[in-house]
Amino acid sequence: MKIQMVDLKGQYEKIKTEVDAGIQDCINNTAFINGPAVKEFQQDFEKYLNVKHVIPCANGTDALQIAMMALGLKEGDEIICPAFTYVATAEVMGLLGLIPIMVDVNEDTFDIQLEDLEKYLTPNTKAIVPVHLYGQGADMERILAFAEKHSLFVIEDNAQAIGSNYTFSDGTVKKTGTVGHIGCTSFFPSKNLGCYGDGGALMTNDDEIALKIRMIANHGQEKKYHHKILGCNSRLDTIQAAVLKVKLAHLDEYSAARNKMADYYDEHLAGISEISVPKRSENSTHVFHQYTLKVKNGKRDGLQKYLAEKNIPSMVYYPLPLYRQEAFQQYVHEGFSLPITEQLCSEVISLPVHTEFDQEVLDYIISEIKNYFNS
């Protein structure tokens, strides 16, 4: 029994005809850069997200960097972000001379700790980067209220939650990534909406910001060979856009399949006292980019080793807080620590969850987890 964290081949087999036709069309018309599929995907994605502007780019890390450049953030400005996240969120800040201010996260939903926003706010704070970790939205209503009060920009890191719906207290529903000033996402192959290489995009409802993003991503030019600002070269190539156009039409179907798996995990693992199944937020749907357990009593590493022996893959997202990474030591004082982040780094483990599982595999994973805790 071969089990994978993500079965991209199985997913491809189901959409092979559409994907192959889209790729072949790109080859036939030889429009490999900014070909028709890029514009078509952009328009489809704008419609799906109900957002005015989608600007495709080369990858999710570029999307974050371009967002910060487009907002005019300057060297020495401080940006609040969670310490429990992937490195790219804060990495781009350092590259631009910005200062990442790492804060703790919610123990149950893994999103940015709202109480820490006030605690770490300074006159140099210019923006907040909430991360919609594992597939559901952060508490955007309260984050936006705090940002508005203190005149801060909000950049959503939506790489793991494309397709998730966030509901405000007045009943308004928006897709994550379209709530703040700019949303950023990645189309890395393992993402819920992934291409067959690298890719990313930025989303905004602000016309001026959208214009600036487009210029920055295209060498700072609004008109060919007329460069108004310093930019970079960050494009989604046409073949990747053709793949994404096909897969976007299946995204809600993929999310439903992931939720079905997550529900089954929940039902059959909830009775194990030494683990906590993922908490579903009241104001956000979950698209389960990851299905992440918390394992108590120091048993996480033992569980992962046991599962590996049974040929069951698992991943730890993330084993180290950002502030313990060597690359970020200049931004924290000696002994800096955040209690919930430290706890989560020692407890979390993500199980296989994707769109192509069969019942036999799922039952086998659950059975072996139960065997570990009953032994």
Side-chain angles (χ1 to χ4, degrees):
M1 184 180 295
K2 184 172 176 57
I3 304 172
Q4 301 178 74
M5 287 294 289
V6 181
D7 183 8
L8 293 178
K9 185 174 182 181
Q11 186 187 70
Y12 164 68
E13 291 295 337
K14 292 183 177 180
I15 55 175
K16 183 179 188 302
T17 301
E18 300 167 87
V19 168
D20 288 359
I23 293 174
Q24 189 62 55
D25 185 59
C26 293
I27 295 171
N28 290 343
N29 64 35
T30 66
F32 299 116
I33 302 295
N34 289 329
V38 177
K39 186 69 173 179
E40 292 166 3
F41 168 67
Q42 173 193 321
Q43 292 173 337
D44 289 352
F45 205 25
E46 287 169 346
K47 183 177 180 181
Y48 176 82
L49 295 172
N50 191 26
V51 68
K52 286 184 71 176
H53 304 282
V54 165
I55 303 95
C57 65
N59 55 70
T61 306
D62 276 7
L64 288 163
Q65 180 171 326
I66 292 166
M68 294 173 195
M69 294 170 69
L71 294 175
L73 300 173
K74 300 291 193 301
E75 187 173 349
D77 287 347
E78 296 177 358
I79 317 296
I80 295 175
C81 68
F84 187 65
T85 186
Y86 184 59
V87 65
T89 310
E91 180 181 36
V92 296
M93 301 175 195
L95 291 173
L96 294 173
L98 308 171
I99 300 175
I101 303 299
M102 306 166 203
V103 303
D104 220 341
V105 295
N106 185 290
E107 182 179 2
D108 294 319
T109 57
F110 312 112
D111 61 336
I112 202 163
Q113 183 75 271
L114 296 169
E115 290 74 16
D116 273 8
L117 296 181
E118 195 78 52
K119 180 179 178 181
Y120 288 95
L121 182 73
T122 78
N124 294 322
T125 306
K126 296 297 186 293
I128 306 170
V129 183
V131 179
H132 304 310
L133 200 65
Y134 300 147
Q136 68 180 342
D139 192 348
M140 290 303 298
E141 186 162 11
R142 292 175 63 189
I143 291 170
L144 289 178
F146 180 87
E148 184 175 358
K149 177 181 176 181
H150 297 284
S151 300
L152 306 177
F153 292 116
V154 176
I155 303 168
E156 296 174 75
D157 185 336
N158 197 41
Q160 298 188 17
I162 281 294
S164 177
N165 293 322
Y166 183 86
T167 303
F168 288 81
S169 57
D170 65 0
T172 300
V173 179
K174 293 185 177 182
K175 293 288 187 185
T176 55
T178 71
V179 181
H181 294 89
I182 304 176
C184 302
T185 197
S186 165
F187 300 129
F188 189 80
S190 63
K191 295 292 191 286
N192 292 34
L193 179 61
C195 54
Y196 293 165
D198 267 321
L202 301 96
M203 298 80 76
T204 185
N205 285 300
D206 187 299
D207 295 341
E208 291 186 13
I209 290 176
L211 177 61
K212 191 82 173 290
I213 290 171
R214 288 192 180 95
M215 291 172 60
I216 291 170
N218 189 27
H219 295 291
Q221 61 185 343
E222 185 177 2
K223 179 182 178 182
K224 195 171 181 66
Y225 300 128
H226 294 262
H227 306 272
K228 297 179 69 173
I229 58 176
L230 292 177
C232 59
N233 176 24
S234 187
R235 297 177 293 216
L236 178 68
D237 75 62
T238 309
I239 287 177
Q240 302 305 335
V243 172
L244 289 166
K245 186 175 186 297
V246 172
K247 294 181 75 173
L248 177 60
H250 297 274
L251 181 56
D252 288 343
E253 168 195 333
Y254 294 160
S255 296
R258 288 170 176 270
N259 268 270
K260 185 176 181 180
M261 281 192 65
D263 290 343
Y264 197 83
Y265 274 137
D266 283 357
E267 179 184 354
H268 294 277
L269 296 177
I272 302 174
S273 61
E274 290 174 288
I275 65 175
S276 297
V277 299
K279 180 180 175 63
R280 316 288 182 96
S281 173
E282 293 181 359
N283 52 359
S284 175
T285 60
H286 209 313
V287 295
F288 285 99
H289 175 61
Q290 304 295 345
Y291 183 89
T292 302
L293 301 172
K294 292 186 295 182
V295 183
K296 306 297 182 181
N297 301 326
K299 292 191 173 183
R300 191 270 309 278
D301 293 345
L303 173 62
Q304 186 171 42
K305 181 180 178 182
Y306 176 83
L307 292 177
E309 291 169 354
K310 301 299 180 180
N311 297 315
I312 299 171
S314 62
M315 292 293 292
V316 173
Y317 304 109
Y318 300 95
L320 281 177
L322 287 183
Y323 55 81
R324 291 198 185 281
Q325 300 285 356
E326 187 174 350
F328 293 100
Q329 291 308 294
Q330 61 183 303
Y331 302 111
V332 293
H333 60 75
E334 186 175 354
F336 180 82
S337 180
L338 299 170
I340 297 175
T341 294
E342 295 283 343
Q343 174 190 331
L344 292 177
C345 285
S346 69
E347 292 182 348
V348 296
I349 185 170
S350 296
L351 302 179
V353 60
H354 51 83
T355 60
E356 311 307 316
F357 258 110
D358 60 40
Q359 195 65 49
E360 181 184 2
V361 171
L362 196 54
D363 286 336
Y364 173 68
I365 293 171
I366 291 167
S367 174
E368 291 300 338
I369 292 173
K370 289 181 176 180
N371 286 342
Y372 173 78
F373 286 103
N374 290 333
S375 62

